[in-house]
Amino acid sequence: MQLKRIRTIRNVPRTGLATILIMSSLMGFGFQGHQIVATIASHRLSARAQAEVVRLLDGNPTESMVAASTWADEIRSDSSYDYARTFHYVNLPPDASDYQAERDCPDQACVVGAIRRYEKVLADSSASLAEQQEALKFLIHFVGDLHQPLHAGLAADRGGNDITVIFNGETSNLHRLWDYLLIETRQLSVEDYTSELESKIKRWDAAQWSKGQPETWAVESFQLARNYAYPLPENGNISPDYAKKGLIILDLQMEKAGVRLAWILNQIYRQ
Ligand SMILES: [Zn+2]
């Protein structure tokens, strides 16, 4: 169980911990980020959507959605899923003011196209059980990815992966800072982090967020990346002010992603 893994991380022997940290650095929007988004969404499902999640993933909706939320990263080393490698992100031109499918997502091979594709599979009653299961696991993951601003970044630096930063004395890269490092500074369990975020989601906000499309959410992420994530000091040193603003953005993005994931599933599985 992912939740337990996070919670008991202090008890893991050193070599085990190192393995987890190395694994983490290879993955998309951090483990915790995905788990928090999945937990928020699981609490907002309609009765029918919840029943469908139980049917497809087996077991308690929150636990099974949390476990499913990182599956798309776990299968990255499996070559039979090579086709999905680019599904975790979308790149926009530096001066983009909108998303254009032909320009930004040829062959639907980006995170926006992937969300569209798997929404369709879930809505298609002729899809096999295995196809639906896989579609749900992918969808849970990709809606999270789309809300990490640097998953809608620039191709030139691979969404910040090629930009070196120094954070709390550690050399890392900008993408990883936004995937993991900022969230980790909270030192909260997934449950506590989720409760904190849920207490801040106002009914009006949730209604506002429950509209639009993955295309518009991609532009939202891209603008956050351009306005907040990319502007760095020359030396790449992350200031306390940058980290504070970054976390405010990430918290809000995780709240939105959770609300929107539930909204998508509730729409697919209308009562
Ligand atoms: Zn990912």
Side-chain angles (χ1 to χ4, degrees):
M1 284 276 84
Q2 303 296 350
L3 278 175
K4 281 190 189 132
R5 192 142 106 196
I6 293 291
R7 237 194 276 149
T8 56
I9 199 157
R10 278 190 207 93
N11 304 327
V12 177
R14 268 186 168 267
T15 46
L17 182 60
T19 311
I20 288 173
L21 292 177
I22 290 164
M23 274 174 58
S24 302
S25 68
L26 298 172
M27 291 168 178
F29 187 24
F31 262 30
Q32 267 209 321
H34 282 294
Q35 292 169 336
I36 290 165
V37 169
T39 308
I40 293 173
S42 75
H43 294 159
R44 309 181 73 90
L45 295 177
S46 66
R48 176 153 180 239
Q50 201 177 83
E52 290 293 324
V53 166
V54 170
R55 179 178 72 87
L56 294 174
L57 298 182
D58 246 359
N60 166 294
T62 300
E63 279 177 24
S64 63
M65 282 180 72
V66 165
S69 72
T70 52
W71 172 81
D73 279 335
E74 286 152 19
I75 48 120
R76 276 182 160 193
S77 53
D78 180 342
S79 59
S80 61
Y81 286 103
D82 275 357
Y83 66 88
R85 278 185 174 273
T86 59
F87 291 4
H88 298 254
Y89 60 89
V90 61
N91 291 315
L92 271 71
D95 57 351
S97 55
D98 61 358
Y99 166 92
Q100 294 176 25
E102 274 173 40
R103 180 192 66 193
D104 307 323
C105 196
D107 303 321
Q108 273 201 322
C110 77
V111 65
V112 174
I115 291 171
R116 288 289 191 205
R117 179 192 323 255
Y118 295 119
E119 274 177 350
K120 259 195 204 139
V121 175
L122 286 181
D124 175 6
S125 53
S126 71
S128 72
L129 178 64
E131 284 168 336
Q132 290 181 50
Q133 287 170 325
E134 199 170 277
L136 180 56
K137 288 191 278 185
F138 271 136
L139 193 64
I140 292 169
H141 182 85
F142 293 143
V143 172
D145 272 351
L146 179 59
H147 285 78
Q148 201 276 58
L150 286 168
H151 280 246
L154 303 174
D157 51 60
R158 299 188 305 124
N161 273 293
D162 296 337
I163 297 175
T164 302
V165 299
I166 300 157
F167 182 54
N168 290 339
E170 189 193 333
T171 303
S172 190
N173 71 65
L174 185 62
H175 189 93
R176 190 160 175 268
L177 178 77
W178 284 76
D179 261 359
Y180 287 98
L181 303 182
L182 290 172
I183 290 174
E184 281 169 8
T185 60
R186 284 274 163 87
Q187 293 191 300
L188 290 172
S189 67
V190 169
E191 294 94 329
D192 290 346
Y193 207 141
T194 303
S195 309
E196 195 190 302
L197 295 187
E198 284 179 325
S199 71
K200 290 193 282 189
I201 301 174
K202 303 278 176 292
R203 194 179 287 243
W204 190 84
D205 288 330
Q208 285 299 110
W209 297 337
S210 300
K211 59 169 87 154
Q213 305 292 346
E215 288 81 358
T216 47
W217 307 336
V219 176
E220 215 175 77
S221 277
F222 175 69
Q223 284 167 349
L224 290 171
R226 198 167 50 184
N227 297 335
Y228 297 98
Y230 278 118
L232 285 170
E234 283 282 302
N235 59 14
N237 243 314
I238 300 302
S239 68
D241 185 55
Y242 179 105
K244 196 174 150 199
K245 278 188 192 144
L247 259 178
I248 291 170
I249 290 165
L250 278 172
D251 283 355
L252 190 61
Q253 288 298 97
M254 287 190 281
E255 292 169 21
K256 285 184 184 175
V259 167
R260 286 169 176 167
L261 175 57
W263 180 63
I264 287 175
L265 293 172
N266 292 341
Q267 297 246 108
I268 294 170
Y269 301 119
R270 283 198 197 92
Q271 300 285 354

